[in-house]
Amino acid sequence: MAADSPAYFTIIMLLSRLLASMGLSKDAGLQAVEPSHDPAYIASASQDFGLIVKAAPQGVLFAFSPQELASFIQSNYKSSAPLTVAARGLAHSVRGQASAKDGVVIDILSLGGNPNGTGISVSGDGTYVDVGAEQLWVDVLNVTLRSGVAPVSWTDYLYLTVGGTLSNAGISGQTFRFGPQISNVAELDVGVGDFVTCSPNENSDLFYAVLGGLGQFGIITRARIPLAPAPEGVKWIRLLYSDFAAFSKDQEFLISKNDMNDETALNYVEGSLLLSQASLDPFFSPEDQPRIVDLITKSGIVYSLEIVKHYDDQSKPTVDKDLEELLKGLGYLPDFRFEKDVTYFEFLNRVRAEEMFLRSKGLWEVPHPWLNLFVPKSGIAAFNDGVFKGIVLKKNITTGPLLVYPMNRNKWDDRMSACVPDEEIFYTVGLLHASGFDNWQSYDEQNKLVFQFCEEAGIEIKLYLLPYASKEEWSVHFGYKWDTFQQAKQQFDPKFLLSPGQKIFNDN
């Protein structure tokens, strides 16, 4: 196994947890607050899931407690030659955002080795869970379900750290109704030299800056997440369209019913593009796949609307009737409705099976030249014509999911750092490509064509999960928030040391 592979890095992190729980440091003679200069650790911390950007740090810090982490940041700040610092969980970024070239990468996963750490702790009344930032969302789900409760907002992929998604936004098909994950946080502990607890009522300027703050203002070590009763099961439905106008109209209609207390509303709405046999996931049975492929052949692009409705013992008898009423009058192709009844955990963990399949084929640890965008509603029809039909379909190099689904801006807290388009409805677009090591540049060229089209068409997109190339581009991205963002940087990270891989204030 290559020393710079994500799998190798994961093994090292698991080892760090074991050694930490035994009270041992990884390197004989080193204190836990000193970075390791082991070449294997450095090689692993030099790349992320994208396997495109390589940036080697000077060292890797294994902090066994939030206090040790904060102590290192504070001592580094006092140094006459301080180093840049990046927090790294499972490094699911794709362009080096979790890197610190010639600096120090902090192994957030090592916090999980502390037996006195936060871990995952559900409150006695089941209304919230305190979670260490190093914990994975799948583990949060498993623990909370034992108490019959769960968070309401998720990411599509659960094998991500809590601190990582809260530093970005954390989105999925629940966002239209419950907002992104950053809109579902009650309290944070943040390492900013000192160990600070913040919330909407305590150190609120730090709280709002850190959520969606791309690691610029401090390192999250604990989050308090509100909980709600977990459903018994879910009705999981896919509806296929050959017409984008009907597809987007129906999506926007369904997300308009977004009252969190409305029991008749859907719990999840997403959309995707089907372009070939390869774009069909295991949701579609082998018996249905031939006729879906035939539809794709005839239409070029098929649009898949994916919806979920939760139910419990009380609502189970009426859930089918409620769904029929909600879907009545939608413009999907009547012979292309597909449905499953699964547990809540099975649905939320649905991407794991695809991951394990790709791993078995050697197709997981490959370059991922992803492109994630927020597109305003006013430009989505032109985007479909110019990008989906005019670039993606014609180039015919797609290998991976292509997502497109709308969100409601009023579910995002504008006091937070995360930026979205100004329009009330905007779309998430994800071109989640996987490539070979010798051809990822062709996907990059396609991504550049997408940027060029949007610029020429006047579509004001926002990047998500991707760094801009310069401070000037970041200032345009943040728009009216830019001054506030800069002021927060001066306040909480005046030496501009944190999260250099985002390339907001550093060129590394």
Side-chain angles (χ1 to χ4, degrees):
M1 184 182 298
D4 60 353
S5 73
Y8 181 90
F9 187 77
T10 299
I11 291 172
I12 293 297
M13 296 303 97
L14 293 174
L15 178 62
S16 78
R17 291 187 181 192
L18 175 62
L19 293 175
S21 68
M22 297 168 61
L24 302 173
S25 64
K26 267 66 61 186
D27 300 305
L30 280 180
Q31 298 299 315
V33 293
E34 298 179 12
S36 168
H37 302 287
D38 187 305
Y41 296 149
I42 290 174
S44 296
S46 298
Q47 286 192 302
D48 56 16
F49 180 69
L51 290 179
I52 293 173
V53 173
K54 192 167 187 176
Q58 284 190 22
V60 179
L61 181 78
F62 297 90
F64 296 166
S65 72
Q67 290 77 13
E68 287 182 351
L69 185 154
S71 175
F72 167 76
I73 295 175
Q74 192 172 49
S75 64
N76 183 52
Y77 248 85
K78 293 177 180 178
S79 168
S80 59
L83 299 171
T84 58
V85 175
R88 176 184 175 117
L90 286 178
H92 207 74
S93 57
V94 295
R95 293 287 174 163
Q97 295 97 308
S99 65
K101 184 180 179 183
D102 299 323
V104 173
V105 168
I106 296 178
D107 161 32
I108 293 299
L109 295 183
S110 61
L111 293 172
N114 181 3
N116 299 315
T118 301
I120 304 171
S121 178
V122 179
S123 64
D125 60 3
T127 59
Y128 66 84
V129 59
D130 281 321
V131 185
E134 78 284 352
Q135 299 295 328
L136 305 185
W137 283 105
V138 67
D139 296 325
V140 175
L141 177 60
N142 275 314
V143 171
T144 57
L145 284 178
R146 293 175 200 153
S147 300
V149 290
V152 296
S153 187
W154 296 93
T155 58
D156 286 329
Y157 182 62
L158 300 184
Y159 291 77
L160 304 171
T161 60
V162 169
T165 65
L166 296 184
S167 295
N168 288 281
I171 61 173
S172 184
Q174 300 91 1
T175 304
F176 83 94
R177 186 173 177 189
F178 299 103
Q181 290 183 311
I182 57 173
S183 291
N184 293 273
V185 180
E187 188 176 272
L188 295 171
D189 286 343
V190 181
V192 288
D194 293 321
F195 191 55
V196 179
T197 297
C198 55
S199 70
N201 300 314
E202 180 183 6
N203 298 309
S204 59
D205 51 351
L206 178 62
F207 179 78
Y208 291 119
V210 166
L211 290 169
L214 305 174
Q216 295 298 307
F217 313 112
I219 298 174
I220 299 170
T221 59
R222 177 189 66 91
R224 177 167 289 180
I225 309 295
L227 301 172
E232 174 189 329
V234 307
K235 295 286 185 178
W236 186 8
I237 297 175
R238 294 275 188 94
L239 309 170
L240 302 189
Y241 295 71
S242 58
D243 178 65
F244 183 80
F247 169 71
S248 58
K249 177 183 176 182
D250 286 354
Q251 282 191 313
E252 291 170 17
F253 164 73
L254 292 173
I255 72 163
S256 70
K257 300 181 178 299
N258 57 38
D259 186 340
M260 288 189 289
N261 299 313
D262 184 356
E263 295 183 357
T264 67
L266 292 172
N267 301 96
Y268 171 99
V269 176
E270 274 200 17
S272 60
L273 274 59
L274 306 180
L275 300 176
S276 66
Q277 173 80 47
S279 61
L280 299 182
D281 61 51
F283 179 93
F284 299 106
S285 70
E287 293 78 15
D288 289 321
Q289 290 193 19
R291 65 191 187 96
I292 298 174
V293 171
D294 184 57
L295 177 65
I296 295 171
T297 302
K298 293 176 180 176
S299 303
I301 298 179
V302 169
Y303 306 95
S304 173
L305 173 53
E306 185 176 14
I307 61 174
V308 160
K309 177 67 177 168
H310 296 172
Y311 64 82
D312 53 24
D313 286 338
Q314 184 176 357
S315 60
K316 188 174 183 178
T318 61
V319 64
D320 288 326
K321 181 181 178 181
D322 291 342
L323 272 170
E324 290 305 322
E325 184 65 26
L326 192 60
L327 302 184
K328 186 168 57 180
L330 297 190
Y332 63 92
L333 299 169
D335 294 331
F336 290 90
R337 170 175 170 171
F338 308 92
E339 172 170 344
K340 286 186 178 182
D341 199 325
V342 298
T343 68
Y344 188 49
F345 181 86
E346 285 174 324
F347 171 71
L348 289 179
N349 199 37
R350 62 199 178 279
V351 178
R352 183 63 166 177
E354 297 176 41
E355 175 196 347
M356 299 312 293
F357 173 77
L358 291 172
R359 284 188 182 276
S360 71
K361 300 294 184 181
L363 299 175
W364 186 257
E365 293 171 10
V366 298
H368 292 88
W370 285 5
L371 179 61
N372 289 279
L373 307 170
F374 292 143
V375 180
K377 172 185 172 179
S378 62
I380 196 64
F383 191 94
N384 174 65
D385 292 336
V387 175
F388 295 149
K389 292 182 176 180
I391 297 175
V392 174
L393 186 60
K394 289 182 179 179
K395 275 193 166 291
N396 193 30
I397 60 171
T398 300
T399 51
L402 280 78
L403 305 179
V404 53
Y405 59 96
M407 298 180 179
N408 296 299
R409 194 179 193 282
N410 62 11
K411 297 296 180 177
W412 294 67
D413 192 324
D414 207 37
R415 293 170 292 183
M416 297 175 183
S417 292
C419 284
V420 296
D422 290 336
E423 296 181 16
E424 178 51 37
I425 294 176
F426 63 92
Y427 280 74
T428 290
V429 173
L431 308 181
L432 308 184
H433 299 301
S435 72
F437 285 92
D438 59 349
N439 70 334
W440 63 265
Q441 293 91 344
S442 63
Y443 294 90
D444 250 16
E445 289 301 317
Q446 177 172 282
N447 292 343
K448 291 175 183 177
L449 290 176
V450 174
F451 293 142
Q452 180 181 342
F453 170 81
C454 291
E455 183 176 359
E456 292 175 354
I459 302 173
E460 296 183 0
I461 59 173
K462 301 280 188 184
L463 290 186
Y464 178 62
L465 301 179
L466 287 172
Y468 288 90
S470 67
K471 182 178 178 179
E472 289 70 29
E473 291 180 346
W474 276 112
S475 69
V476 173
H477 168 80
F478 283 107
Y480 65 90
K481 290 187 177 183
W482 179 239
D483 287 344
T484 301
F485 196 87
Q486 290 188 105
Q487 290 166 11
K489 187 68 170 177
Q490 290 283 359
Q491 179 180 357
F492 300 116
D493 182 23
K495 292 189 177 181
F496 296 78
L497 300 181
L498 295 176
S499 199
Q502 296 286 359
K503 298 183 179 179
I504 302 177
F505 300 102
N506 311 73
D507 294 328
N508 289 343

mmCIF file with all atom_site columns, all heavy atoms in Angstrom, residues 1 20 43 46 110-111 191 219 222 251 272 331 349 365 387 436 487 500:
data_model
loop_
_atom_site.group_PDB
_atom_site.id
_atom_site.type_symbol
_atom_site.label_atom_id
_atom_site.label_alt_id
_atom_site.label_comp_id
_atom_site.label_asym_id
_atom_site.label_entity_id
_atom_site.label_seq_id
_atom_site.pdbx_PDB_ins_code
_atom_site.Cartn_x
_atom_site.Cartn_y
_atom_site.Cartn_z
_atom_site.occupancy
_atom_site.B_iso_or_equiv
_atom_site.pdbx_formal_charge
_atom_site.auth_seq_id
_atom_site.auth_comp_id
_atom_site.auth_asym_id
_atom_site.auth_atom_id
_atom_site.pdbx_PDB_model_num
ATOM 1   N N   . MET A 1 1   ? 0.847   -1.211 0.000   1.00 0.00 ? 1   MET A N   1
ATOM 2   C CA  . MET A 1 1   ? 0.000   0.000  0.000   1.00 0.00 ? 1   MET A CA  1
ATOM 3   C C   . MET A 1 1   ? 0.873   1.249  0.000   1.00 0.00 ? 1   MET A C   1
ATOM 4   O O   . MET A 1 1   ? 1.803   1.358  0.801   1.00 0.00 ? 1   MET A O   1
ATOM 5   C CB  . MET A 1 1   ? -0.903  -0.003 1.234   1.00 0.00 ? 1   MET A CB  1
ATOM 6   C CG  . MET A 1 1   ? -1.879  1.154  1.295   1.00 0.00 ? 1   MET A CG  1
ATOM 7   S SD  . MET A 1 1   ? -2.835  1.084  2.815   1.00 0.00 ? 1   MET A SD  1
ATOM 8   C CE  . MET A 1 1   ? -3.690  -0.471 2.602   1.00 0.00 ? 1   MET A CE  1
ATOM 9   N N   . ALA A 1 20  ? -3.252  6.488  21.444  1.00 0.00 ? 20  ALA A N   1
ATOM 10  C CA  . ALA A 1 20  ? -3.709  7.551  22.349  1.00 0.00 ? 20  ALA A CA  1
ATOM 11  C C   . ALA A 1 20  ? -4.464  6.969  23.528  1.00 0.00 ? 20  ALA A C   1
ATOM 12  O O   . ALA A 1 20  ? -4.312  7.397  24.671  1.00 0.00 ? 20  ALA A O   1
ATOM 13  C CB  . ALA A 1 20  ? -4.571  8.545  21.587  1.00 0.00 ? 20  ALA A CB  1
ATOM 14  N N   . ALA A 1 43  ? 3.930   12.207 4.235   1.00 0.00 ? 43  ALA A N   1
ATOM 15  C CA  . ALA A 1 43  ? 3.469   11.811 2.904   1.00 0.00 ? 43  ALA A CA  1
ATOM 16  C C   . ALA A 1 43  ? 1.959   11.657 2.875   1.00 0.00 ? 43  ALA A C   1
ATOM 17  O O   . ALA A 1 43  ? 1.286   12.079 1.930   1.00 0.00 ? 43  ALA A O   1
ATOM 18  C CB  . ALA A 1 43  ? 4.154   10.511 2.489   1.00 0.00 ? 43  ALA A CB  1
ATOM 19  N N   . SER A 1 46  ? -0.001  14.893 2.850   1.00 0.00 ? 46  SER A N   1
ATOM 20  C CA  . SER A 1 46  ? 0.292   15.775 1.715   1.00 0.00 ? 46  SER A CA  1
ATOM 21  C C   . SER A 1 46  ? -0.796  15.752 0.657   1.00 0.00 ? 46  SER A C   1
ATOM 22  O O   . SER A 1 46  ? -0.812  16.605 -0.233  1.00 0.00 ? 46  SER A O   1
ATOM 23  C CB  . SER A 1 46  ? 1.628   15.379 1.064   1.00 0.00 ? 46  SER A CB  1
ATOM 24  O OG  . SER A 1 46  ? 2.685   15.519 1.983   1.00 0.00 ? 46  SER A OG  1
ATOM 25  N N   . SER A 1 110 ? -7.107  12.013 15.971  1.00 0.00 ? 110 SER A N   1
ATOM 26  C CA  . SER A 1 110 ? -6.419  11.568 17.180  1.00 0.00 ? 110 SER A CA  1
ATOM 27  C C   . SER A 1 110 ? -7.143  12.021 18.447  1.00 0.00 ? 110 SER A C   1
ATOM 28  O O   . SER A 1 110 ? -6.952  11.426 19.508  1.00 0.00 ? 110 SER A O   1
ATOM 29  C CB  . SER A 1 110 ? -4.975  12.072 17.191  1.00 0.00 ? 110 SER A CB  1
ATOM 30  O OG  . SER A 1 110 ? -4.916  13.486 17.188  1.00 0.00 ? 110 SER A OG  1
ATOM 31  N N   . LEU A 1 111 ? -7.999  13.044 18.354  1.00 0.00 ? 111 LEU A N   1
ATOM 32  C CA  . LEU A 1 111 ? -8.784  13.458 19.512  1.00 0.00 ? 111 LEU A CA  1
ATOM 33  C C   . LEU A 1 111 ? -9.695  12.338 19.999  1.00 0.00 ? 111 LEU A C   1
ATOM 34  O O   . LEU A 1 111 ? -10.058 12.284 21.170  1.00 0.00 ? 111 LEU A O   1
ATOM 35  C CB  . LEU A 1 111 ? -9.625  14.692 19.179  1.00 0.00 ? 111 LEU A CB  1
ATOM 36  C CG  . LEU A 1 111 ? -8.872  16.001 18.912  1.00 0.00 ? 111 LEU A CG  1
ATOM 37  C CD1 . LEU A 1 111 ? -9.844  17.068 18.417  1.00 0.00 ? 111 LEU A CD1 1
ATOM 38  C CD2 . LEU A 1 111 ? -8.146  16.467 20.154  1.00 0.00 ? 111 LEU A CD2 1
ATOM 39  N N   . GLY A 1 191 ? -10.944 25.815 19.228  1.00 0.00 ? 191 GLY A N   1
ATOM 40  C CA  . GLY A 1 191 ? -9.580  26.124 19.596  1.00 0.00 ? 191 GLY A CA  1
ATOM 41  C C   . GLY A 1 191 ? -9.081  27.311 18.803  1.00 0.00 ? 191 GLY A C   1
ATOM 42  O O   . GLY A 1 191 ? -8.939  27.222 17.581  1.00 0.00 ? 191 GLY A O   1
ATOM 43  N N   . ILE A 1 219 ? -10.343 26.013 15.251  1.00 0.00 ? 219 ILE A N   1
ATOM 44  C CA  . ILE A 1 219 ? -10.554 24.592 14.966  1.00 0.00 ? 219 ILE A CA  1
ATOM 45  C C   . ILE A 1 219 ? -11.645 24.065 15.877  1.00 0.00 ? 219 ILE A C   1
ATOM 46  O O   . ILE A 1 219 ? -11.534 24.108 17.113  1.00 0.00 ? 219 ILE A O   1
ATOM 47  C CB  . ILE A 1 219 ? -9.252  23.800 15.156  1.00 0.00 ? 219 ILE A CB  1
ATOM 48  C CG1 . ILE A 1 219 ? -8.188  24.305 14.166  1.00 0.00 ? 219 ILE A CG1 1
ATOM 49  C CG2 . ILE A 1 219 ? -9.492  22.306 14.960  1.00 0.00 ? 219 ILE A CG2 1
ATOM 50  C CD1 . ILE A 1 219 ? -6.823  23.687 14.351  1.00 0.00 ? 219 ILE A CD1 1
ATOM 51  N N   . ARG A 1 222 ? -15.731 20.490 19.482  1.00 0.00 ? 222 ARG A N   1
ATOM 52  C CA  . ARG A 1 222 ? -16.995 19.901 19.948  1.00 0.00 ? 222 ARG A CA  1
ATOM 53  C C   . ARG A 1 222 ? -18.152 20.666 19.343  1.00 0.00 ? 222 ARG A C   1
ATOM 54  O O   . ARG A 1 222 ? -18.085 21.885 19.161  1.00 0.00 ? 222 ARG A O   1
ATOM 55  C CB  . ARG A 1 222 ? -17.105 19.965 21.478  1.00 0.00 ? 222 ARG A CB  1
ATOM 56  C CG  . ARG A 1 222 ? -18.457 19.429 22.035  1.00 0.00 ? 222 ARG A CG  1
ATOM 57  C CD  . ARG A 1 222 ? -18.591 19.711 23.520  1.00 0.00 ? 222 ARG A CD  1
ATOM 58  N NE  . ARG A 1 222 ? -18.683 21.133 23.819  1.00 0.00 ? 222 ARG A NE  1
ATOM 59  C CZ  . ARG A 1 222 ? -19.831 21.824 23.912  1.00 0.00 ? 222 ARG A CZ  1
ATOM 60  N NH1 . ARG A 1 222 ? -21.001 21.218 23.719  1.00 0.00 ? 222 ARG A NH1 1
ATOM 61  N NH2 . ARG A 1 222 ? -19.819 23.115 24.195  1.00 0.00 ? 222 ARG A NH2 1
ATOM 62  N N   . GLN A 1 251 ? -39.541 19.949 -8.717  1.00 0.00 ? 251 GLN A N   1
ATOM 63  C CA  . GLN A 1 251 ? -38.636 20.081 -7.582  1.00 0.00 ? 251 GLN A CA  1
ATOM 64  C C   . GLN A 1 251 ? -38.950 21.341 -6.780  1.00 0.00 ? 251 GLN A C   1
ATOM 65  O O   . GLN A 1 251 ? -39.024 21.309 -5.546  1.00 0.00 ? 251 GLN A O   1
ATOM 66  C CB  . GLN A 1 251 ? -37.180 20.132 -8.061  1.00 0.00 ? 251 GLN A CB  1
ATOM 67  C CG  . GLN A 1 251 ? -36.582 18.792 -8.440  1.00 0.00 ? 251 GLN A CG  1
ATOM 68  C CD  . GLN A 1 251 ? -35.081 18.908 -8.648  1.00 0.00 ? 251 GLN A CD  1
ATOM 69  O OE1 . GLN A 1 251 ? -34.609 19.814 -9.318  1.00 0.00 ? 251 GLN A OE1 1
ATOM 70  N NE2 . GLN A 1 251 ? -34.329 17.980 -8.087  1.00 0.00 ? 251 GLN A NE2 1
ATOM 71  N N   . SER A 1 272 ? -30.929 14.182 -9.917  1.00 0.00 ? 272 SER A N   1
ATOM 72  C CA  . SER A 1 272 ? -29.679 13.790 -10.555 1.00 0.00 ? 272 SER A CA  1
ATOM 73  C C   . SER A 1 272 ? -29.908 13.563 -12.039 1.00 0.00 ? 272 SER A C   1
ATOM 74  O O   . SER A 1 272 ? -31.048 13.532 -12.517 1.00 0.00 ? 272 SER A O   1
ATOM 75  C CB  . SER A 1 272 ? -29.124 12.516 -9.908  1.00 0.00 ? 272 SER A CB  1
ATOM 76  O OG  . SER A 1 272 ? -30.045 11.442 -10.028 1.00 0.00 ? 272 SER A OG  1
ATOM 77  N N   . GLY A 1 331 ? -45.170 16.108 -13.227 1.00 0.00 ? 331 GLY A N   1
ATOM 78  C CA  . GLY A 1 331 ? -44.973 15.843 -14.656 1.00 0.00 ? 331 GLY A CA  1
ATOM 79  C C   . GLY A 1 331 ? -43.991 14.750 -14.991 1.00 0.00 ? 331 GLY A C   1
ATOM 80  O O   . GLY A 1 331 ? -43.417 14.738 -16.083 1.00 0.00 ? 331 GLY A O   1
ATOM 81  N N   . ASN A 1 349 ? -27.457 5.874  4.990   1.00 0.00 ? 349 ASN A N   1
ATOM 82  C CA  . ASN A 1 349 ? -26.148 5.265  4.732   1.00 0.00 ? 349 ASN A CA  1
ATOM 83  C C   . ASN A 1 349 ? -26.062 4.659  3.330   1.00 0.00 ? 349 ASN A C   1
ATOM 84  O O   . ASN A 1 349 ? -25.209 3.814  3.055   1.00 0.00 ? 349 ASN A O   1
ATOM 85  C CB  . ASN A 1 349 ? -25.854 4.183  5.779   1.00 0.00 ? 349 ASN A CB  1
ATOM 86  C CG  . ASN A 1 349 ? -24.381 3.849  5.873   1.00 0.00 ? 349 ASN A CG  1
ATOM 87  O OD1 . ASN A 1 349 ? -23.519 4.712  5.761   1.00 0.00 ? 349 ASN A OD1 1
ATOM 88  N ND2 . ASN A 1 349 ? -24.078 2.572  6.066   1.00 0.00 ? 349 ASN A ND2 1
ATOM 89  N N   . GLU A 1 365 ? -9.866  5.066  -4.684  1.00 0.00 ? 365 GLU A N   1
ATOM 90  C CA  . GLU A 1 365 ? -8.658  5.855  -4.439  1.00 0.00 ? 365 GLU A CA  1
ATOM 91  C C   . GLU A 1 365 ? -8.045  6.283  -5.769  1.00 0.00 ? 365 GLU A C   1
ATOM 92  O O   . GLU A 1 365 ? -6.941  5.875  -6.151  1.00 0.00 ? 365 GLU A O   1
ATOM 93  C CB  . GLU A 1 365 ? -7.682  5.053  -3.588  1.00 0.00 ? 365 GLU A CB  1
ATOM 94  C CG  . GLU A 1 365 ? -8.222  4.821  -2.185  1.00 0.00 ? 365 GLU A CG  1
ATOM 95  C CD  . GLU A 1 365 ? -7.378  3.857  -1.388  1.00 0.00 ? 365 GLU A CD  1
ATOM 96  O OE1 . GLU A 1 365 ? -6.271  3.516  -1.848  1.00 0.00 ? 365 GLU A OE1 1
ATOM 97  O OE2 . GLU A 1 365 ? -7.832  3.434  -0.315  1.00 0.00 ? 365 GLU A OE2 1
ATOM 98  N N   . VAL A 1 387 ? -24.694 23.688 -20.171 1.00 0.00 ? 387 VAL A N   1
ATOM 99  C CA  . VAL A 1 387 ? -23.728 22.811 -19.490 1.00 0.00 ? 387 VAL A CA  1
ATOM 100 C C   . VAL A 1 387 ? -24.120 21.349 -19.612 1.00 0.00 ? 387 VAL A C   1
ATOM 101 O O   . VAL A 1 387 ? -23.367 20.535 -20.167 1.00 0.00 ? 387 VAL A O   1
ATOM 102 C CB  . VAL A 1 387 ? -23.575 23.212 -18.008 1.00 0.00 ? 387 VAL A CB  1
ATOM 103 C CG1 . VAL A 1 387 ? -22.670 22.215 -17.277 1.00 0.00 ? 387 VAL A CG1 1
ATOM 104 C CG2 . VAL A 1 387 ? -23.002 24.616 -17.894 1.00 0.00 ? 387 VAL A CG2 1
ATOM 105 N N   . GLY A 1 436 ? -8.975  8.491  -14.035 1.00 0.00 ? 436 GLY A N   1
ATOM 106 C CA  . GLY A 1 436 ? -7.709  7.808  -13.894 1.00 0.00 ? 436 GLY A CA  1
ATOM 107 C C   . GLY A 1 436 ? -6.632  8.818  -13.537 1.00 0.00 ? 436 GLY A C   1
ATOM 108 O O   . GLY A 1 436 ? -6.842  10.033 -13.596 1.00 0.00 ? 436 GLY A O   1
ATOM 109 N N   . GLN A 1 487 ? -12.610 41.073 8.819   1.00 0.00 ? 487 GLN A N   1
ATOM 110 C CA  . GLN A 1 487 ? -12.528 41.557 10.194  1.00 0.00 ? 487 GLN A CA  1
ATOM 111 C C   . GLN A 1 487 ? -12.447 40.399 11.188  1.00 0.00 ? 487 GLN A C   1
ATOM 112 O O   . GLN A 1 487 ? -11.694 40.453 12.165  1.00 0.00 ? 487 GLN A O   1
ATOM 113 C CB  . GLN A 1 487 ? -13.741 42.440 10.504  1.00 0.00 ? 487 GLN A CB  1
ATOM 114 C CG  . GLN A 1 487 ? -13.725 43.773 9.771   1.00 0.00 ? 487 GLN A CG  1
ATOM 115 C CD  . GLN A 1 487 ? -15.064 44.482 9.807   1.00 0.00 ? 487 GLN A CD  1
ATOM 116 O OE1 . GLN A 1 487 ? -15.969 44.093 10.550  1.00 0.00 ? 487 GLN A OE1 1
ATOM 117 N NE2 . GLN A 1 487 ? -15.212 45.530 9.001   1.00 0.00 ? 487 GLN A NE2 1
ATOM 118 N N   . PRO A 1 500 ? -4.490  27.356 5.427   1.00 0.00 ? 500 PRO A N   1
ATOM 119 C CA  . PRO A 1 500 ? -3.926  28.005 4.238   1.00 0.00 ? 500 PRO A CA  1
ATOM 120 C C   . PRO A 1 500 ? -4.342  27.347 2.930   1.00 0.00 ? 500 PRO A C   1
ATOM 121 O O   . PRO A 1 500 ? -4.303  27.991 1.878   1.00 0.00 ? 500 PRO A O   1
ATOM 122 C CB  . PRO A 1 500 ? -2.414  27.876 4.454   1.00 0.00 ? 500 PRO A CB  1
ATOM 123 C CG  . PRO A 1 500 ? -2.256  26.651 5.307   1.00 0.00 ? 500 PRO A CG  1
ATOM 124 C CD  . PRO A 1 500 ? -3.434  26.684 6.242   1.00 0.00 ? 500 PRO A CD  1
#
